[in-house]
Amino acid sequence: MTATSSTKQPIILPGKDIVLDEDNPFEAMMSRFDFAAEQLNLDPGLYRILRHPDKQIIVSIPIQRDNGEIEVFTGYRVRYNAWRGTGKGGIRFDMAVTLDEVTALAAWMTWKCALVNIPFGGSKGGVVCDPTTLSDGELERLTRRYTSQIIETLGPESDVPAPDVNTNERVMAWIMDTYSMHKRHTVTAVVTGKPIEMGGSLGRREATGRGCMIMARDAMRVRGIPVEGARVAIQGFGNVGSVTATLLAELGCRIVAIGDKSTALYNADGIDVVDAVNWVEHHRYLSGYPAAEVIPGPDLLTVDCDVLIPAALENVITKRNASDIRARIIIEGANGPTTPNADKILDDAGVFVVPDILANAGGVTVSYFEWVQDRGGYFWDLKTVNSRLEKIMVDSFREVTTMAEQHSVNLRIASYMLAIERVAAVHRLRGLYA
Ligand code: NAD
Protein backbone atom coordinates (compact mmCIF):
# COMPACT_ATOMS: atom_id res chain seq x y z
CA MET A 1 0.00 0.00 0.00
CA THR A 2 1.36 3.41 -0.90
CA ALA A 3 0.13 6.41 1.04
CA THR A 4 0.32 9.79 -0.62
CA SER A 5 0.78 12.07 2.36
CA SER A 6 2.18 12.11 5.87
CA THR A 7 -0.06 11.00 8.69
CA LYS A 8 1.14 14.10 10.54
CA GLN A 9 -0.28 16.87 8.40
CA PRO A 10 1.84 19.99 8.60
CA ILE A 11 -0.30 23.00 9.28
CA ILE A 12 2.40 25.46 10.14
CA LEU A 13 3.59 28.19 7.85
CA PRO A 14 6.77 30.24 8.27
CA GLY A 15 6.28 33.11 10.64
CA LYS A 16 3.49 31.38 12.57
CA ASP A 17 3.83 30.18 16.15
CA ILE A 18 4.89 26.57 16.35
CA VAL A 19 3.55 24.34 19.09
CA LEU A 20 5.58 21.17 19.25
CA ASP A 21 6.46 18.56 21.83
CA GLU A 22 10.11 19.35 22.51
CA ASP A 23 10.72 15.98 24.13
CA ASN A 24 9.90 14.29 20.85
CA PRO A 25 13.27 14.42 19.03
CA PHE A 26 11.65 14.23 15.63
CA GLU A 27 9.30 17.11 16.27
CA ALA A 28 12.27 18.91 17.78
CA MET A 29 14.14 18.36 14.52
CA MET A 30 11.23 19.65 12.46
CA SER A 31 10.98 22.72 14.70
CA ARG A 32 14.58 23.53 13.74
CA PHE A 33 13.60 22.99 10.11
CA ASP A 34 10.73 25.47 10.52
CA PHE A 35 12.96 28.06 12.16
CA ALA A 36 15.66 27.71 9.49
CA ALA A 37 13.04 27.92 6.71
CA GLU A 38 11.81 31.15 8.27
CA GLN A 39 15.35 32.56 8.41
CA LEU A 40 15.75 31.71 4.72
CA ASN A 41 12.43 33.34 3.94
CA LEU A 42 11.59 30.14 2.10
CA ASP A 43 8.82 30.43 -0.46
CA PRO A 44 5.61 29.02 1.17
CA GLY A 45 5.02 26.65 -1.76
CA LEU A 46 8.49 25.14 -1.42
CA TYR A 47 8.03 25.01 2.33
CA ARG A 48 4.89 22.92 1.84
CA ILE A 49 6.72 20.56 -0.54
CA LEU A 50 9.66 20.11 1.85
CA ARG A 51 7.31 19.44 4.77
CA HIS A 52 5.90 16.35 3.00
CA PRO A 53 7.50 12.99 2.22
CA ASP A 54 7.77 11.96 -1.47
CA LYS A 55 6.55 8.47 -0.79
CA GLN A 56 5.48 6.31 2.16
CA ILE A 57 5.14 2.56 1.76
CA ILE A 58 3.43 0.29 4.32
CA VAL A 59 3.79 -3.45 3.84
CA SER A 60 2.63 -6.62 5.54
CA ILE A 61 5.37 -9.20 5.99
CA PRO A 62 4.10 -12.74 6.58
CA ILE A 63 6.73 -15.22 7.69
CA GLN A 64 6.66 -18.76 8.95
CA ARG A 65 8.03 -19.04 12.50
CA ASP A 66 10.24 -21.99 13.39
CA ASN A 67 7.26 -23.64 15.15
CA GLY A 68 5.31 -23.65 11.87
CA GLU A 69 2.97 -20.77 12.73
CA ILE A 70 2.49 -17.85 10.36
CA GLU A 71 3.06 -14.39 11.79
CA VAL A 72 2.51 -11.10 9.97
CA PHE A 73 4.78 -8.13 10.68
CA THR A 74 4.39 -4.54 9.51
CA GLY A 75 7.16 -2.73 7.66
CA TYR A 76 7.66 0.77 6.30
CA ARG A 77 9.91 2.49 3.81
CA VAL A 78 9.72 6.24 3.38
CA ARG A 79 11.54 8.21 0.73
CA TYR A 80 11.27 11.72 2.05
CA ASN A 81 12.99 13.64 -0.72
CA ALA A 82 15.04 12.36 -3.65
CA TRP A 83 15.36 15.50 -5.71
CA ARG A 84 19.12 15.75 -5.17
CA GLY A 85 19.62 12.04 -5.91
CA THR A 86 19.05 8.51 -4.65
CA GLY A 87 17.15 8.23 -1.38
CA LYS A 88 19.55 7.13 1.35
CA GLY A 89 18.84 5.86 4.82
CA GLY A 90 18.93 2.96 7.23
CA ILE A 91 16.51 0.22 8.15
CA ARG A 92 15.67 -0.41 11.79
CA PHE A 93 14.06 -3.47 13.35
CA ASP A 94 12.38 -2.36 16.55
CA MET A 95 9.06 -2.57 18.41
CA ALA A 96 8.97 1.24 18.65
CA VAL A 97 9.01 1.76 14.87
CA THR A 98 6.10 3.90 13.62
CA LEU A 99 5.34 5.50 10.26
CA ASP A 100 5.73 8.97 11.79
CA GLU A 101 9.12 8.14 13.25
CA VAL A 102 10.36 6.59 10.00
CA THR A 103 9.13 9.66 8.10
CA ALA A 104 10.91 12.06 10.43
CA LEU A 105 14.13 10.03 10.23
CA ALA A 106 13.88 10.09 6.42
CA ALA A 107 13.55 13.89 6.56
CA TRP A 108 16.59 13.98 8.84
CA MET A 109 18.58 12.01 6.26
CA THR A 110 17.51 14.48 3.56
CA TRP A 111 19.01 17.43 5.45
CA LYS A 112 22.12 15.50 6.50
CA CYS A 113 23.01 14.41 2.95
CA ALA A 114 22.39 17.91 1.60
CA LEU A 115 24.50 19.45 4.35
CA VAL A 116 27.61 17.46 3.47
CA ASN A 117 26.72 18.00 -0.19
CA ILE A 118 26.61 14.39 -1.30
CA PRO A 119 24.21 13.62 -4.18
CA PHE A 120 21.66 11.77 -2.10
CA GLY A 121 18.16 12.43 -0.85
CA GLY A 122 16.77 11.01 2.38
CA SER A 123 14.97 7.74 3.11
CA LYS A 124 14.38 5.47 6.07
CA GLY A 125 12.78 2.09 6.70
CA GLY A 126 11.68 -0.04 9.58
CA VAL A 127 9.95 -3.23 10.62
CA VAL A 128 7.92 -3.42 13.83
CA CYS A 129 9.51 -6.43 15.52
CA ASP A 130 11.66 -7.48 18.44
CA PRO A 131 14.66 -9.12 16.75
CA THR A 132 15.83 -10.62 20.05
CA THR A 133 12.80 -12.96 19.90
CA LEU A 134 13.58 -14.14 16.35
CA SER A 135 15.89 -17.02 15.45
CA ASP A 136 18.54 -16.42 12.74
CA GLY A 137 16.34 -18.21 10.22
CA GLU A 138 13.27 -16.13 11.16
CA LEU A 139 15.29 -12.91 10.92
CA GLU A 140 16.54 -13.89 7.48
CA ARG A 141 13.03 -14.76 6.25
CA LEU A 142 11.69 -11.47 7.65
CA THR A 143 14.47 -9.47 5.98
CA ARG A 144 14.07 -11.15 2.61
CA ARG A 145 10.25 -10.88 2.58
CA TYR A 146 10.43 -7.21 3.64
CA THR A 147 12.94 -6.58 0.82
CA SER A 148 10.72 -8.24 -1.77
CA GLN A 149 7.72 -6.23 -0.51
CA ILE A 150 9.48 -2.90 -1.03
CA ILE A 151 11.54 -3.95 -4.04
CA GLU A 152 9.96 -1.46 -6.45
CA THR A 153 11.32 1.46 -4.48
CA LEU A 154 14.81 0.01 -3.96
CA GLY A 155 17.70 0.40 -6.38
CA PRO A 156 21.09 2.09 -6.71
CA GLU A 157 19.40 4.95 -8.59
CA SER A 158 16.32 5.29 -6.40
CA ASP A 159 16.62 4.16 -2.79
CA VAL A 160 19.59 2.63 -0.97
CA PRO A 161 19.24 1.21 2.59
CA ALA A 162 21.94 0.87 5.25
CA PRO A 163 22.13 -0.56 8.78
CA ASP A 164 20.36 1.21 11.64
CA VAL A 165 19.02 0.16 15.05
CA ASN A 166 19.18 -3.68 15.32
CA THR A 167 20.28 -4.26 11.73
CA ASN A 168 23.83 -4.94 10.63
CA GLU A 169 26.16 -6.12 7.83
CA ARG A 170 24.50 -9.52 7.73
CA VAL A 171 21.03 -8.02 7.23
CA MET A 172 22.45 -5.83 4.44
CA ALA A 173 23.92 -8.96 2.79
CA TRP A 174 20.45 -10.61 2.78
CA ILE A 175 18.85 -7.48 1.31
CA MET A 176 21.50 -7.25 -1.41
CA ASP A 177 21.15 -10.94 -2.23
CA THR A 178 17.33 -10.82 -2.37
CA TYR A 179 17.38 -7.76 -4.61
CA SER A 180 20.03 -9.33 -6.86
CA MET A 181 18.04 -12.57 -7.18
CA HIS A 182 15.01 -10.59 -8.37
CA LYS A 183 17.13 -8.62 -10.85
CA ARG A 184 18.90 -11.78 -12.05
CA HIS A 185 22.32 -10.20 -11.61
CA THR A 186 24.48 -9.03 -8.71
CA VAL A 187 23.73 -5.46 -7.64
CA THR A 188 26.18 -4.45 -4.91
CA ALA A 189 25.21 -0.75 -4.85
CA VAL A 190 21.64 -1.41 -3.65
CA VAL A 191 22.74 -1.25 0.01
CA THR A 192 25.67 0.20 1.96
CA GLY A 193 27.19 -0.98 5.20
CA LYS A 194 27.80 -4.38 3.57
CA PRO A 195 30.59 -6.78 4.48
CA ILE A 196 33.89 -5.77 2.77
CA GLU A 197 33.97 -9.12 0.92
CA MET A 198 30.83 -8.25 -1.05
CA GLY A 199 31.43 -4.60 -1.89
CA GLY A 200 31.58 -2.83 1.48
CA SER A 201 33.99 0.06 1.93
CA LEU A 202 37.10 0.16 4.04
CA GLY A 203 36.72 2.74 6.80
CA ARG A 204 32.88 2.57 6.95
CA ARG A 205 32.76 1.11 10.45
CA GLU A 206 34.92 3.91 11.88
CA ALA A 207 33.54 6.69 9.67
CA THR A 208 31.05 8.27 12.08
CA GLY A 209 33.57 8.36 14.93
CA ARG A 210 36.26 9.69 12.60
CA GLY A 211 33.91 12.47 11.51
CA CYS A 212 33.20 13.32 15.18
CA MET A 213 36.95 13.45 15.86
CA ILE A 214 37.45 15.85 12.94
CA MET A 215 34.60 18.07 14.18
CA ALA A 216 35.96 18.09 17.75
CA ARG A 217 39.45 18.94 16.52
CA ASP A 218 38.25 21.80 14.28
CA ALA A 219 35.86 23.15 16.92
CA MET A 220 38.75 23.28 19.40
CA ARG A 221 40.82 25.20 16.84
CA VAL A 222 38.00 27.72 16.33
CA ARG A 223 37.53 28.07 20.08
CA GLY A 224 41.27 28.39 20.79
CA ILE A 225 41.43 25.26 22.95
CA PRO A 226 44.70 23.33 22.51
CA VAL A 227 43.92 19.82 21.28
CA GLU A 228 46.88 18.37 23.16
CA GLY A 229 45.65 17.75 26.68
CA ALA A 230 42.04 18.84 26.04
CA ARG A 231 39.68 17.11 28.47
CA VAL A 232 36.92 15.10 26.77
CA ALA A 233 33.83 13.32 28.18
CA ILE A 234 31.95 10.81 26.03
CA GLN A 235 28.54 9.29 26.69
CA GLY A 236 28.15 5.98 24.83
CA PHE A 237 31.00 3.57 24.16
CA GLY A 238 29.64 1.69 21.16
CA ASN A 239 30.61 2.23 17.55
CA VAL A 240 30.53 6.04 17.57
CA GLY A 241 31.71 6.70 21.14
CA SER A 242 34.59 4.23 21.25
CA VAL A 243 36.01 5.19 17.84
CA THR A 244 35.76 8.91 18.64
CA ALA A 245 37.47 8.31 21.99
CA THR A 246 40.26 6.28 20.38
CA LEU A 247 40.97 8.84 17.66
CA LEU A 248 40.84 11.84 20.02
CA ALA A 249 43.21 10.06 22.41
CA GLU A 250 45.56 9.51 19.44
CA LEU A 251 45.48 13.29 18.87
CA GLY A 252 46.63 13.83 22.46
CA CYS A 253 43.30 14.60 24.14
CA ARG A 254 42.71 13.38 27.69
CA ILE A 255 39.53 11.26 27.82
CA VAL A 256 38.40 12.02 31.39
CA ALA A 257 34.96 10.39 31.32
CA ILE A 258 33.29 7.58 29.38
CA GLY A 259 30.06 5.74 29.92
CA ASP A 260 27.66 3.22 28.47
CA LYS A 261 24.39 1.55 29.41
CA SER A 262 26.10 -0.24 32.31
CA THR A 263 28.11 2.51 34.04
CA ALA A 264 29.79 5.92 33.88
CA LEU A 265 33.50 6.33 34.65
CA TYR A 266 35.73 9.28 35.50
CA ASN A 267 39.48 9.68 35.76
CA ALA A 268 40.90 13.23 35.88
CA ASP A 269 44.28 11.94 34.67
CA GLY A 270 42.72 10.40 31.59
CA ILE A 271 41.36 6.94 30.81
CA ASP A 272 43.47 4.54 28.72
CA VAL A 273 41.00 4.21 25.83
CA VAL A 274 42.70 1.25 24.14
CA ASP A 275 42.53 -0.61 27.44
CA ALA A 276 38.85 0.31 27.92
CA VAL A 277 37.97 -0.82 24.36
CA ASN A 278 39.75 -4.06 25.09
CA TRP A 279 37.74 -4.44 28.32
CA VAL A 280 34.45 -3.98 26.42
CA GLU A 281 35.54 -6.53 23.81
CA HIS A 282 35.92 -9.10 26.58
CA HIS A 283 33.12 -8.03 28.96
CA ARG A 284 30.58 -6.46 26.54
CA TYR A 285 30.10 -3.40 28.79
CA LEU A 286 32.35 -0.94 30.66
CA SER A 287 30.97 -2.07 34.01
CA GLY A 288 33.77 -3.39 36.22
CA TYR A 289 36.52 -1.55 34.35
CA PRO A 290 38.98 -0.92 37.17
CA ALA A 291 41.12 2.08 36.16
CA ALA A 292 38.54 4.83 36.81
CA GLU A 293 36.09 6.05 39.44
CA VAL A 294 32.40 5.15 39.02
CA ILE A 295 30.14 8.22 38.87
CA PRO A 296 26.33 8.50 38.58
CA GLY A 297 25.28 8.20 34.92
CA PRO A 298 23.75 11.70 34.57
CA ASP A 299 26.93 13.29 36.01
CA LEU A 300 28.87 12.22 32.94
CA LEU A 301 27.25 15.06 31.02
CA THR A 302 28.18 17.69 33.59
CA VAL A 303 31.76 16.73 34.51
CA ASP A 304 34.42 19.40 34.24
CA CYS A 305 35.76 19.05 30.69
CA ASP A 306 36.46 21.01 27.51
CA VAL A 307 34.55 18.83 25.04
CA LEU A 308 31.41 16.79 25.68
CA ILE A 309 30.36 14.14 23.15
CA PRO A 310 26.91 12.59 23.61
CA ALA A 311 27.18 9.43 21.48
CA ALA A 312 24.45 7.18 22.84
CA LEU A 313 20.88 8.39 23.02
CA GLU A 314 18.53 11.13 21.95
CA ASN A 315 17.14 13.77 24.32
CA VAL A 316 19.85 13.66 26.99
CA ILE A 317 20.63 17.39 27.12
CA THR A 318 17.42 19.15 28.15
CA LYS A 319 16.36 22.29 29.96
CA ARG A 320 16.79 20.29 33.18
CA ASN A 321 20.57 19.80 32.89
CA ALA A 322 21.77 22.21 30.15
CA SER A 323 22.76 24.95 32.59
CA ASP A 324 24.94 22.46 34.54
CA ILE A 325 27.04 21.55 31.53
CA ARG A 326 30.62 22.73 31.96
CA ALA A 327 32.03 21.76 28.57
CA ARG A 328 32.77 24.63 26.19
CA ILE A 329 32.18 22.46 23.11
CA ILE A 330 29.55 19.79 22.44
CA ILE A 331 29.92 17.41 19.50
CA GLU A 332 26.64 15.59 18.88
CA GLY A 333 27.69 12.07 17.90
CA ALA A 334 24.18 10.75 18.63
CA ASN A 335 21.11 11.83 16.69
CA GLY A 336 18.94 14.34 18.55
CA PRO A 337 20.74 14.49 21.91
CA THR A 338 19.79 18.13 22.60
CA THR A 339 16.27 19.57 22.90
CA PRO A 340 15.38 23.02 21.49
CA ASN A 341 14.96 24.47 25.01
CA ALA A 342 18.43 23.23 25.90
CA ASP A 343 19.79 24.83 22.72
CA LYS A 344 18.70 28.21 24.02
CA ILE A 345 20.38 27.68 27.39
CA LEU A 346 23.61 26.49 25.75
CA ASP A 347 23.56 29.43 23.30
CA ASP A 348 23.16 31.89 26.18
CA ALA A 349 26.07 30.23 27.99
CA GLY A 350 28.26 30.48 24.88
CA VAL A 351 28.66 26.71 24.43
CA PHE A 352 29.79 25.82 20.90
CA VAL A 353 27.48 23.01 19.72
CA VAL A 354 28.35 21.08 16.56
CA PRO A 355 24.91 19.63 15.70
CA ASP A 356 24.13 16.01 14.91
CA ILE A 357 23.41 16.51 11.21
CA LEU A 358 26.97 17.76 10.81
CA ALA A 359 28.86 15.99 13.60
CA ASN A 360 27.74 12.44 12.77
CA ALA A 361 27.56 12.82 8.97
CA GLY A 362 30.83 10.88 8.52
CA GLY A 363 28.86 7.62 8.39
CA VAL A 364 26.61 8.56 5.50
CA THR A 365 29.56 10.17 3.74
CA VAL A 366 31.48 6.88 3.64
CA SER A 367 28.23 5.12 2.69
CA TYR A 368 28.25 7.42 -0.31
CA PHE A 369 31.87 6.36 -0.99
CA GLU A 370 30.78 2.72 -0.79
CA TRP A 371 28.02 3.35 -3.35
CA VAL A 372 30.48 5.17 -5.65
CA GLN A 373 33.01 2.32 -5.38
CA ASP A 374 30.34 -0.33 -6.05
CA ARG A 375 29.07 1.52 -9.11
CA GLY A 376 32.57 2.08 -10.43
CA GLY A 377 33.67 -1.45 -9.57
CA TYR A 378 36.94 -0.01 -8.30
CA PHE A 379 37.82 -0.01 -4.62
CA TRP A 380 39.85 2.57 -2.73
CA ASP A 381 42.47 1.98 -0.07
CA LEU A 382 41.81 3.15 3.49
CA LYS A 383 44.03 6.21 3.12
CA THR A 384 41.96 7.43 0.16
CA VAL A 385 38.66 6.85 2.00
CA ASN A 386 39.86 8.71 5.09
CA SER A 387 41.38 11.65 3.22
CA ARG A 388 38.19 12.13 1.16
CA LEU A 389 36.11 11.91 4.34
CA GLU A 390 38.39 14.46 5.99
CA LYS A 391 37.93 16.89 3.09
CA ILE A 392 34.12 16.65 3.14
CA MET A 393 33.90 17.08 6.91
CA VAL A 394 36.36 19.99 7.01
CA ASP A 395 34.66 21.77 4.09
CA SER A 396 31.22 21.26 5.62
CA PHE A 397 32.36 22.58 8.99
CA ARG A 398 33.80 25.68 7.32
CA GLU A 399 30.61 26.27 5.32
CA VAL A 400 28.43 25.93 8.42
CA THR A 401 30.56 28.27 10.55
CA THR A 402 30.59 30.83 7.73
CA MET A 403 26.80 30.61 7.39
CA ALA A 404 26.40 30.97 11.17
CA GLU A 405 28.52 34.13 11.20
CA GLN A 406 26.75 35.65 8.19
CA HIS A 407 23.27 35.15 9.67
CA SER A 408 24.12 35.44 13.39
CA VAL A 409 22.62 32.03 14.14
CA ASN A 410 24.02 29.00 15.94
CA LEU A 411 25.62 26.11 14.06
CA ARG A 412 22.48 24.01 14.22
CA ILE A 413 20.30 26.58 12.50
CA ALA A 414 23.12 27.36 10.06
CA SER A 415 23.32 23.64 9.19
CA TYR A 416 19.59 23.42 8.53
CA MET A 417 19.70 26.63 6.49
CA LEU A 418 22.50 25.32 4.28
CA ALA A 419 20.80 21.95 3.84
CA ILE A 420 17.33 23.32 3.14
CA GLU A 421 18.69 25.88 0.71
CA ARG A 422 20.53 23.14 -1.23
CA VAL A 423 17.40 20.99 -1.51
CA ALA A 424 15.25 24.04 -2.33
CA ALA A 425 17.69 25.14 -5.06
CA VAL A 426 17.27 21.82 -6.87
CA HIS A 427 13.48 22.07 -6.58
CA ARG A 428 13.58 25.56 -8.12
CA LEU A 429 15.81 24.39 -10.98
CA ARG A 430 13.82 21.26 -11.73
CA GLY A 431 10.43 22.95 -11.44
CA LEU A 432 7.15 21.20 -10.77
CA TYR A 433 6.26 18.43 -13.20
CA ALA A 434 2.51 18.44 -13.65
P1 NAD B 1 25.97 1.39 19.48
O1 NAD B 1 24.80 0.51 19.75
O2 NAD B 1 27.19 0.83 18.87
O3 NAD B 1 26.43 2.09 20.86
C1 NAD B 1 25.53 2.75 21.70
C2 NAD B 1 26.23 3.00 23.03
O4 NAD B 1 25.35 3.75 23.88
C3 NAD B 1 26.57 1.72 23.80
O5 NAD B 1 27.83 1.87 24.44
C4 NAD B 1 25.47 1.65 24.83
O6 NAD B 1 25.83 0.89 25.98
C5 NAD B 1 25.30 3.11 25.14
N1 NAD B 1 24.04 3.40 25.83
C6 NAD B 1 22.82 2.86 25.59
N2 NAD B 1 21.94 3.33 26.50
C7 NAD B 1 22.63 4.16 27.31
C8 NAD B 1 22.28 4.95 28.44
N3 NAD B 1 21.03 4.93 28.94
N4 NAD B 1 23.24 5.72 29.02
C9 NAD B 1 24.50 5.73 28.54
N5 NAD B 1 24.89 5.00 27.48
C10 NAD B 1 23.96 4.24 26.88
O7 NAD B 1 25.39 2.62 18.63
P2 NAD B 1 26.22 3.64 17.75
O8 NAD B 1 26.23 3.15 16.34
O9 NAD B 1 27.49 3.99 18.42
O10 NAD B 1 25.20 4.89 17.74
C11 NAD B 1 25.19 5.82 18.83
C12 NAD B 1 24.40 7.05 18.40
O11 NAD B 1 24.99 7.60 17.22
C13 NAD B 1 22.94 6.80 18.02
O12 NAD B 1 22.20 7.95 18.36
C14 NAD B 1 22.99 6.66 16.51
O13 NAD B 1 21.74 6.96 15.92
C15 NAD B 1 24.02 7.71 16.18
N6 NAD B 1 24.64 7.53 14.87
C16 NAD B 1 25.35 6.41 14.59
C17 NAD B 1 25.95 6.29 13.34
C18 NAD B 1 26.80 5.08 12.98
O14 NAD B 1 27.38 5.08 11.88
N7 NAD B 1 26.92 4.11 13.85
C19 NAD B 1 25.79 7.29 12.36
C20 NAD B 1 25.06 8.43 12.70
C21 NAD B 1 24.48 8.54 13.97
Side-chain angles (χ1 to χ4, degrees), residues 92 112 164 204-205 208 235-241 259-263 285 311-314 333-335 360 363:
R92 56 176 58 178
K112 197 183 285 191
D164 196 70
R204 172 63 189 90
R205 204 192 72 79
T208 307
Q235 183 191 50
F237 209 64
N239 175 285
V240 180
D260 66 5
K261 205 189 241 176
S262 71
T263 190
Y285 291 113
L313 305 170
E314 58 215 20
N335 283 321
N360 68 36

Side-chain angles (χ1 to χ4, degrees), residues 1-3 56-60 149:
M1 170 182 151
T2 303
Q56 294 172 301
I57 302 172
I58 306 171
V59 292
S60 295
Q149 289 284 67

Side-chain angles (χ1 to χ4, degrees), residues 246-284:
T246 304
L247 295 175
L248 283 174
E250 282 173 13
L251 285 186
C253 295
R254 200 164 10 126
I255 312 301
V256 292
I258 53 176
D260 66 5
K261 205 189 241 176
S262 71
T263 190
L265 302 169
Y266 179 77
N267 183 339
D269 297 329
I271 293 164
D272 181 338
V273 177
V274 175
D275 197 35
V277 169
N278 199 25
W279 176 273
V280 171
E281 263 165 29
H282 288 94
H283 301 87
R284 190 157 173 224

